[in-house]
Amino acid sequence: LVVSGASVSGLALGPLVPLLLDTYGWRGALLLLAAISFNLVAAGALLRPLPVPNQPLGPPKDGPGLGRLLRHGPFLRYALAFVLVDAGYYVPFVHGE
C-alpha cells in the first residue's frame, strides 16, 4: 500500500506527459509536473512524530526538530533507502518521449 503510489503515478503520468508536451511544450509540461509534485510538500508536512503520552506539549527540550531528526537512526535509514531507490528507479514517462 505504501509504495503503490509510485506505480499508480507511473501509469497515470505515462499518457499525461505526451498530452502536456503537445499542448504546452516542454517548458510548460515541466512547469505543470513541478506544480503537481509541489503538492507533495503539504503531504510531507504531515509526516511528523506522534505525541508521546504524559509528555508536555510544546517544543522539545533537546533542540530543534531538524537537528534531532538528522540524528534519528530510523529516519536516516528511511531517507537513505529512498535515495537509493530513486537513483535506480526507471520511470517510463521520463524516458518515453
Side-chain angles (χ1 to χ4, degrees), residues 1-3 5-6 8 14 20 27 29 34-35 48 55 58 63 67 70-71 75 77 84 88 91 94-95:
L1 181 62
V2 172
V3 296
V8 170
L20 291 175
R27 289 181 183 179
R48 60 184 187 269
Q55 182 180 13
L70 292 177
R71 290 188 306 269
F75 173 76
R77 287 189 293 274
L84 295 174
V91 184
V94 171
H95 305 288

Side-chain angles (χ1 to χ4, degrees), residues 2 4 8 11 14 19 23 25 35-37 44 46 52 54-55 58 61 66 68-69 75 89-92:
V2 172
S4 64
V8 170
L11 288 173
L19 176 69
T23 307
I36 292 170
S37 297
L46 297 174
V52 178
N54 299 329
Q55 182 180 13
K61 305 288 185 227
L66 182 59
R68 213 170 31 127
L69 189 61
F75 173 76
Y89 184 60
Y90 173 72
V91 184

Side-chain angles (χ1 to χ4, degrees), residues 16-17 20-22 24-38 93-94:
L16 180 66
V17 170
L20 291 175
L21 287 171
D22 291 339
Y24 300 106
W26 69 271
R27 289 181 183 179
L30 284 178
L31 185 63
L32 287 172
L33 289 172
I36 292 170
S37 297
F38 189 64
F93 64 84
V94 171

